[in-house]
Amino acid sequence: MSQAELPPRFDSVEALEDFMTMPSPALVADLKTLQGDILVLGVGGKMGPTLARLAKRAAPPGKRVIGVARFSDPGVREALEKAGVEAVSADLLDRGALERLPKAANVVFMAGRKFGATGNVPLTWAMNVQVPAMVAEVFKASRIVAFSTGCVYPFVPVGSGGATAGDEAGGEPVRIERDRQ
């Protein structure tokens, strides 16, 4: 998209969402060649609804886009269903629930819990370690894309030795360094 294609402003959240989920011709062409349906785990988060709606708008007729979340905000589920995304409620911490999900050929993994979330470090660990491990096992025959924020740690110069994390890692300062072997 070029800068010229951007409107000068958006008059509503709906107009912005419509703009952000307008698929490019290249995405439409790519999804025509993609074999199988798309399962989005953690679709109820900040970026999940937009990604699922974009995928549905780009997908050829008959390709399913299935969004999975707890849907603690019922409005998210309703909006996804209105956009043609199949919404499935499931607790990803429940292995049985994972095993009952449709075995889509393509899985977009967006579930997680931000580090520094106060009061429940074990839940943060389970969401960020246990759930991805279970998903990898349950969907071992699928293509899995892990989608996460790029803003976990600050940008630092390559030669600096790495970023220092505080609350992001559960409260204890941790030095993040690349493998020097």
Side-chain angles (χ1 to χ4, degrees):
M1 161 177 46
S2 71
Q3 187 70 10
E5 296 175 44
L6 286 170
R9 62 171 288 161
F10 294 99
D11 293 325
S12 67
V13 171
E14 292 78 19
L16 174 62
E17 180 76 13
D18 233 22
F19 182 81
M20 291 189 329
T21 61
M22 180 60 61
S24 68
L27 180 58
V28 171
D30 283 347
L31 286 190
K32 279 184 185 174
T33 66
L34 183 69
Q35 297 297 310
D37 295 326
I38 301 168
L39 182 71
V40 182
L41 300 176
V43 75
K46 291 183 194 245
M47 296 186 289
T50 305
L51 180 134
R53 184 172 173 212
L54 173 63
K56 186 60 182 175
R57 290 180 78 181
K63 185 175 297 292
R64 295 168 67 198
V65 177
I66 307 152
V68 180
R70 287 184 311 263
F71 294 111
S72 51
D73 177 354
V76 172
R77 181 185 190 123
E78 292 165 8
L80 286 169
E81 289 174 340
K82 183 178 175 187
V85 175
E86 296 175 41
V88 176
S89 292
D91 180 353
L92 299 180
L93 285 164
D94 177 352
R95 186 178 180 101
L98 280 174
E99 291 171 350
R100 289 187 296 274
L101 293 174
K103 297 304 179 272
N106 306 286
V107 175
V108 180
F109 183 85
M110 301 182 77
R113 182 171 160 88
K114 78 176 193 168
F115 285 105
T118 57
N120 202 339
V121 173
L123 177 59
T124 302
W125 179 89
M127 285 302 301
N128 295 332
V129 178
Q130 182 178 351
V131 170
M134 289 189 304
V135 166
E137 290 172 356
V138 171
F139 293 95
K140 63 185 170 202
S142 302
R143 288 179 292 274
I144 301 174
V145 173
F147 187 97
S148 183
T149 182
C151 301
V152 176
Y153 298 108
F155 290 111
V156 295
V158 173
S160 72
T164 300
D167 282 344
E168 297 86 357
E172 294 297 318
V174 175
R175 185 101 177 136
I176 308 301
E177 297 184 16
R178 59 188 172 138
D179 188 2
R180 297 191 189 274
Q181 295 180 13

